[in-house]
Amino acid sequence: DIQMTQSPSSLSASVGDRVTITCRASQSISRFLNWYQQKPGDAPKLLIYTASNLQSGVPSRFSGSGSGTDFTLTISSLQPEDFATYYCQQSSSIWWTFGQGTKVEIK
Amino acid sequence: QVQLQESGPGLVKSSETLSLTCTVSGGSIRNYYWSWIRQPPGKGLEWIGNMYNTGSTNYNPALKTRVTFSVDTSKNQVSLKLNSVTAADTAVYYCATVGRDAYGEASNIDNWGQGTLVTVSS
């Protein structure tokens, strides 16, 4: 199966900071990469699909890029409501896999 | 988007079968692909599998021998059964709809239920 590795596992940032999270696949997945946000006690929420497409209703400060094996999620200006855990997930294989998550904490 | 509500026993004994139901409102289950995902307490997400409106399924290879998905169209429900459970199966279980790409292929998980915690006891 395809392994997804996120870095960092956690980060501390301040409101207004630019934040970048990286996701690396163990083999090429083209652009079949999605990003989710999960706040404590809540279900995950789809942010970005197919590497760079913003899900309806998601603020434009979120963006995604990449192809092949290396992908990034960028938050251009971190807002208080963005403190959460972020997961990448590949849908290239018929067996989907998630990254281990990146927790974004308040500095 | 449809509303999803997972239900089932919150406590299951080790070696028994975990059975969960996802009741769907606001749309017919026939119109969607379905996914189950789980999350052990304090840990990350694990994809359990997908079920397509043809009835075909893809299961996580690590769970394939123990998991079964099914649908009840008369009740507009999708279900998950996981047999021979152990403490490692303790998790919040989510049902979700599968978003499709422009070619109709399964692409992402676009609508999640609130999840239900299942604890496996010895």
Side-chain angles (χ1 to χ4, degrees), chain B residues 10-122:
Chain B
L11 189 64
V12 179
K13 291 183 179 179
S14 184
S15 79
E16 296 189 344
T17 297
L18 178 159
S19 296
L20 295 175
T21 297
C22 177
T23 300
V24 180
S25 57
S28 171
I29 61 171
R30 294 188 182 90
N31 296 332
Y32 294 88
Y33 296 171
W34 297 96
S35 189
W36 287 92
I37 307 97
R38 69 181 184 178
Q39 185 171 35
K43 297 189 178 180
L45 301 167
E46 181 180 30
W47 175 78
I48 300 172
N50 288 347
M51 179 167 56
Y52 306 100
N53 57 9
T54 57
S56 65
T57 54
N58 288 323
Y59 296 132
N60 185 324
L63 301 171
K64 182 178 181 179
T65 61
R66 299 194 292 130
V67 68
T68 304
F69 294 166
S70 61
V71 297
D72 185 334
T73 54
S74 67
K75 295 181 180 179
N76 220 37
Q77 293 175 335
V78 296
S79 295
L80 160 72
K81 289 188 186 298
L82 182 67
N83 58 37
S84 304
V85 297
T86 69
D89 295 310
T90 294
V92 174
Y93 286 77
Y94 296 99
C95 75
T97 58
V98 173
R100 305 182 215 180
D101 63 19
Y103 304 97
E105 299 295 322
S107 171
N108 56 69
I109 303 166
D110 64 353
N111 184 23
W112 300 62
Q114 66 183 29
T116 187
L117 175 63
V118 179
T119 302
V120 177
S121 68
S122 54

Side-chain angles (χ1 to χ4, degrees), chain A residues 3 24 39 53 81 104:
Chain A
Q3 307 298 321
R24 175 164 289 176
K39 298 179 181 179
N53 295 284
E81 60 268 30
V104 176

Side-chain angles (χ1 to χ4, degrees), chain A residues 41-89:
Chain A
D42 289 347
K45 168 188 169 183
L46 178 65
L47 293 179
I48 303 280
Y49 61 94
T50 324
S52 61
N53 295 284
L54 200 64
Q55 176 70 345
S56 176
V58 174
S60 59
R61 63 181 179 273
F62 291 93
S63 64
S65 65
S67 65
T69 60
D70 294 317
F71 301 85
T72 58
L73 172 69
T74 300
I75 309 172
S76 60
S77 177
L78 196 67
Q79 297 302 301
E81 60 268 30
D82 301 337
F83 291 95
T85 300
Y86 294 85
Y87 294 92
C88 63
Q89 172 253 324

